[in-house]
Amino acid sequence: MGSIKVTGLCKAFGIEELFNDVSFEIKRGERVGFVGANGAGKSTLMKCLLNKVEYDKGTVSMEPVDTIGYVEQQADMSSDYTLYDELKTAFEDVLALAAAKEAMEAEIKENHSEEKLEAYGRLVERFENAGGYDFESRIRRTAFGLGFTQEDLAKQVANFSGGQKTRVCLAKALLRQPDFLLLDEPTNHLDVGMIEWLEGFLQNYAGGVLIISHDRFFLDRVANRIFEIENKTVTAYEGNYTYYMKVREQRRAAQLSAYEKQQEHIKKTEEYIRKYKAGIKSKQARGRQSQLNRLERIVKPADTAAFNYFAFNPTGECAQRVAEFEDVAYNFPDSHKNLFDHVNVLIRKGDGVAVVGPNGAGKTTFLRLLIGELEASQGRIKLGSRVKIGYFSQQHEGLHMERTVLEEMEYEYGLSEEQSRRYLGAFLFHGDEVLRLIGSLSGGEQSRLAFLKLMLTGANFLVLDEPTNHLDIPAKEAVEEALSTFPGTYITVSHDRYFLDKVANCVLEIADGRLQEYNGNYSYYREKKAEEAQELAELEAEAKAAAEAEKAKAKAEAVKLSDRAKTAGKAAEAKAEKKVEKNNPFRGMSEAKRTETIQRTEAEIAMAEAELKMLEMEMNDPVIQADPEKSMEIAQAYSDKEAEIQAKYEKWEQLSDL
């Protein structure tokens, strides 16, 4: 298995060149993070690798036997299949082998010639190598890892949300473990638990992976190389995202220094030429001009999009106790079960609070209770004196779509054009971009504008629901810098762990109806969760060891009783053997018939043992083990199959002893 090799790739849309002379190679075992600003051409280049978009020049080559799995941002899936049936389509070759195996088993019952048995053995081997005995458990493990439930497996995919359909596509790509995985924003629509599951999967992936992502924490944990697309070209960096940022800044600094030195040299040379081109040193001046003409000019590094610090509108003073939950519970009107119970939390002035937890745990509900959109089922929520809330929702209801970006700032806040442009520039709106209609902006651009407006309201307590959704990395950095300069208090729900590490000094985890507080950033929270998991594992190990000790003791007692019975049973066994031989039902069978019956029995034993192996793998599946009803069903089937095999072996022994 080889690599994906790109040489001299070029692509333009009309007169606008997207990228030019791009060359790189992705080898098996490499996990490449693909970064760059929105609109730089990441998704287009990935589609060029897949031949989904025609490129203008260059080559994309790979081994003919290598396979590619692709997951795009927006999945189009209108199948009438259930989720389980849709995921099974990833194993069409395995299902074909299973059908062929069943057909041959039926044939063997009628004709169990040596040739047929050998062909059956080869088919079983192909079936096993293709994952035939465990593909169903793989389907369940992958589906559950990506947040689907047992009930979801029976639902039609066509009725799923856009985010769920994207996860279905991701599951199908992961199931077959192709030689190369191309993933376009795979963490969209995933909560932190699902993202961590995906991280673990990709960290152990044997093939090559190319990942377009704005999730910096994810890239830090998964990527071992980074490709950056900027200024119409791709630059490769070794290491994860953090290492890439360090090396990138070092390269930029070195390039800028070399550029400045060269510019100084050019300036001095040009002054010399002007001074002496008509004088006694004209020959030397012409020589210097020739050198200047041959000089390979160093390109000035492009200015990176970044937050330009400014002072936000001052926030009013407020009480030290900004917000407080006292024994709060909440349940939806149509539900008798509380979403969470007995929540007690205090948010203090100056806190930066992160709210984390799985999808559906109640994070957004928690924020809506805080801002008064919902009323608690029990308990009390108090806001401190002079607290002014500013709320950021994902829908951006406060934006006027018919206005330009500049007009929105001037009309809303009475700012001059100069002041408006200064604020907008800090959030990466430059030049003529401020003259665009808000309705024509992308989701990420609207998010930036909505966040800027929120920062200028004078609110001293910001409540933020996924403020970095749809933002590229430079925009996320601008939001992080803005929050770091914000003089008030804020609380945010976010799945962006890198962002939470930057802005949070306290983490509130909502899970299983409870709230747990951790005083530190997201990394500190993860460390404490790991410690808790370790402690739980140690307690479980101790309990298991105690149970094993009791089991060993009971076994030792059983051995003692068995030894006593062995002596008494030897005479009975000898007597029984003679009786069995005398009463063998196959006595008198012809040699040819006996040989035929032995061969058929051996084939039946082989099939039964293969089925037993499959049941054994299912019994060891953690997903099955978590389902008591299914576990009991498989255990009974396993016991029945063991009894069947034992009976067939007894038959074979009787036939062989004749």
Side-chain angles (χ1 to χ4, degrees):
M1 308 297 175
S3 64
I4 298 176
K5 193 170 183 178
V6 176
T7 307
L9 210 65
C10 303
K11 177 64 184 175
F13 291 102
I15 62 170
E16 185 178 349
E17 191 176 55
L18 198 58
F19 48 82
N20 180 48
D21 197 25
V22 168
S23 299
F24 58 79
E25 186 176 12
I26 306 169
K27 298 177 181 178
R28 284 179 58 83
E30 291 183 337
R31 301 184 299 276
V32 182
F34 199 11
V35 302
N38 286 343
K42 300 185 298 295
S43 294
T44 301
L45 198 154
M46 181 174 279
K47 289 176 180 177
C48 287
L49 304 186
L50 295 158
N51 287 319
K52 291 180 175 290
V53 170
E54 187 176 348
Y55 42 89
D56 304 324
K57 188 179 175 184
T59 60
V60 178
S61 59
M62 59 183 293
E63 295 291 333
V65 295
D66 284 344
T67 55
I68 291 181
Y70 171 57
V71 179
E72 57 188 329
Q73 286 193 56
Q74 301 296 328
D76 182 18
M77 193 173 291
S78 56
S79 168
D80 291 333
Y81 283 170
T82 65
L83 172 59
Y84 184 74
D85 289 336
E86 183 68 38
L87 296 180
K88 276 179 69 175
T89 63
F91 295 96
E92 289 178 347
D93 58 331
V94 178
L95 295 172
L97 287 172
K101 177 173 160 290
E102 288 179 11
M104 189 169 287
E105 287 167 357
E107 291 178 16
I108 288 174
K109 288 180 180 178
E110 303 296 327
N111 176 13
H112 47 270
S113 66
E114 186 174 340
E115 185 180 345
K116 279 284 183 185
L117 289 171
E118 287 178 359
Y120 177 76
R122 290 193 296 271
L123 182 59
V124 168
E125 186 177 2
R126 286 174 60 198
F127 180 73
E128 186 172 355
N129 291 339
Y133 292 121
D134 70 343
F135 80 92
E136 290 182 308
S137 61
R138 282 170 62 188
I139 286 174
R140 285 182 164 79
R141 284 198 303 271
T142 304
F144 296 161
L146 289 171
F148 294 109
T149 64
Q150 183 68 39
E151 291 75 22
D152 289 332
L153 292 173
K155 295 179 181 177
Q156 284 190 335
V157 172
N159 298 327
F160 283 177
S161 68
Q164 287 174 313
K165 288 178 179 178
T166 300
R167 283 190 276 140
V168 173
C169 290
L170 179 59
K172 288 177 68 176
L174 300 182
L175 278 169
R176 292 315 306 266
Q177 301 189 11
D179 299 298
F180 293 94
L181 270 173
L182 274 57
L183 310 177
D184 195 350
E185 295 288 356
T187 62
N188 285 357
H189 314 295
L190 303 185
D191 64 20
V192 172
M194 299 177 203
I195 294 172
E196 289 179 344
W197 178 89
L198 181 59
E199 287 170 352
F201 182 94
L202 294 177
Q203 285 166 355
N204 297 303
Y205 196 72
V209 186
L210 179 64
I211 313 161
I212 296 174
S213 181
H214 295 136
D215 188 332
R216 295 159 293 175
F217 203 97
F218 177 76
L219 292 175
D220 253 354
R221 289 182 50 83
V222 171
N224 52 28
R225 295 183 77 197
I226 298 291
F227 288 173
E228 179 190 45
I229 184 166
E230 186 182 47
N231 296 329
K232 304 176 184 179
T233 191
V234 171
T235 306
Y237 296 82
E238 301 298 322
N240 63 5
Y241 180 82
T242 297
Y243 186 77
Y244 142 76
M245 287 294 293
K246 180 181 177 181
V247 174
R248 177 175 176 261
E249 290 308 310
Q250 290 173 347
R251 284 188 183 181
R252 284 180 178 273
Q255 189 179 354
L256 182 60
S257 176
Y259 169 81
E260 289 172 346
K261 288 179 180 178
Q262 188 182 70
Q263 290 299 305
E264 183 65 26
H265 169 71
I266 292 170
K267 182 181 177 183
K268 289 180 178 179
T269 302
E270 287 175 342
E271 288 177 356
Y272 182 94
I273 294 167
R274 281 196 302 272
K275 187 175 180 181
Y276 296 111
K277 67 180 179 179
I280 194 170
K281 296 184 179 179
S282 60
K283 187 176 179 180
Q284 291 93 325
R286 287 194 300 273
R288 299 253 181 128
Q289 183 65 63
S290 297
Q291 291 174 1
L292 204 59
N293 293 339
R294 293 193 303 270
L295 184 66
E296 187 174 342
R297 304 294 176 105
I298 298 171
V299 178
K300 183 182 180 182
D303 293 329
T304 56
F307 176 82
N308 299 315
Y309 175 80
F310 62 87
F312 289 105
N313 290 350
T315 61
E317 286 295 321
C318 67
Q320 288 294 322
R321 301 171 77 91
V322 173
E324 194 167 359
F325 281 59
E326 295 181 345
D327 201 35
V328 170
Y330 180 79
N331 66 274
F332 294 107
D334 57 346
S335 173
H336 299 292
K337 184 181 179 182
N338 285 338
L339 186 61
F340 39 72
D341 273 310
H342 306 296
V343 170
N344 293 278
V345 66
L346 172 63
I347 300 171
R348 299 173 179 81
K349 183 180 178 181
D351 279 348
V353 182
V355 183
V356 301
N359 288 344
K363 302 186 296 295
T364 296
T365 301
F366 181 86
L367 296 190
R368 293 178 68 193
L369 286 166
L370 185 58
I371 64 176
E373 281 191 1
L374 296 175
E375 187 175 342
S377 306
Q378 71 175 50
R380 189 167 62 152
I381 300 170
K382 298 191 298 184
L383 293 179
S385 62
R386 301 182 302 281
V387 170
K388 181 181 179 182
I389 290 180
Y391 180 52
F392 179 95
S393 77
Q394 298 185 52
Q395 285 71 43
H396 316 315
E397 296 93 340
L399 297 178
H400 300 83
M401 300 297 167
E402 73 282 359
R403 291 178 181 170
T404 68
V405 173
L406 185 62
E407 288 170 346
E408 186 81 349
M409 301 299 294
E410 292 175 337
Y411 293 165
E412 290 285 310
Y413 305 105
L415 300 173
S416 67
E417 181 175 342
E418 182 184 354
Q419 289 173 312
S420 297
R421 283 182 176 274
R422 183 161 61 91
Y423 287 142
L424 289 167
F427 279 78
L428 314 181
F429 292 101
H430 302 291
D432 291 343
E433 290 176 344
V434 304
L435 304 178
R436 292 173 61 191
L437 289 175
I438 294 173
S440 71
L441 300 178
S442 69
E445 290 167 330
Q446 289 183 8
S447 291
R448 275 188 274 142
L449 183 59
F451 192 83
L452 171 59
K453 287 183 63 180
L454 179 66
M455 301 289 286
L456 295 172
T457 59
N460 51 26
F461 183 32
L462 304 182
V463 180
L464 313 172
D465 192 3
E466 297 288 358
T468 64
N469 268 10
H470 311 296
L471 300 185
D472 58 16
I473 290 175
K476 289 180 179 183
E477 290 172 347
V479 170
E480 289 162 2
E481 292 294 330
L483 281 177
S484 71
T485 67
F486 180 65
T489 307
Y490 52 86
I491 182 170
T492 179
V493 167
S494 179
H495 292 133
D496 188 335
R497 297 162 295 170
Y498 201 96
F499 167 74
L500 295 180
D501 247 3
K502 289 281 189 178
V503 304
N505 59 20
C506 174
V507 175
L508 301 180
E509 180 192 53
I510 300 177
D512 301 322
R514 300 188 214 169
L515 186 144
Q516 182 70 38
E517 186 173 355
Y518 298 83
N519 291 315
N521 64 3
Y522 185 81
S523 289
Y524 174 81
Y525 156 75
R526 289 185 72 251
E527 289 173 7
K528 297 303 291 184
K529 291 295 290 184
E531 289 175 9
E532 291 172 5
Q534 180 64 30
E535 289 173 3
L536 180 61
E538 289 173 357
L539 289 172
E540 290 176 348
E542 289 175 6
K544 186 178 179 181
E548 289 292 334
E550 284 296 320
K551 188 177 177 181
K553 185 178 177 182
K555 187 176 179 180
E557 291 294 328
V559 168
K560 287 180 182 178
L561 292 172
S562 177
D563 288 342
R564 291 175 193 167
K566 278 180 182 178
T567 303
K570 282 181 179 179
E573 282 180 14
K575 188 176 179 180
E577 283 176 7
K578 289 179 180 179
K579 186 176 179 182
V580 167
E581 186 177 344
K582 185 178 179 181
N583 299 324
N584 192 323
F586 303 106
R587 288 181 70 84
M589 182 181 287
S590 68
E591 186 64 25
K593 184 66 174 175
R594 186 176 73 88
T595 302
E596 180 186 338
T597 307
I598 287 174
Q599 289 176 343
R600 185 167 59 248
T601 304
E602 287 173 346
E604 290 172 351
I605 290 172
M607 285 189 286
E609 287 182 336
E611 292 167 357
L612 188 72
K613 184 178 179 182
M614 185 170 67
L615 289 168
E616 188 177 298
M617 294 175 75
E618 289 185 6
M619 287 176 67
N620 293 325
D621 185 352
V623 175
I624 298 293
Q625 292 174 353
D627 186 343
E629 186 176 338
K630 187 68 175 175
S631 198
M632 288 178 64
E633 181 186 328
I634 293 173
Q636 183 59 51
Y638 187 89
S639 178
D640 294 344
K641 188 59 65 175
E642 279 188 318
E644 179 189 333
I645 292 170
Q646 182 61 36
K648 291 184 185 298
Y649 267 118
E650 288 175 0
K651 178 181 177 181
W652 182 86
E653 286 173 357
Q654 288 176 327
L655 287 162
S656 300
D657 288 343
L658 290 173

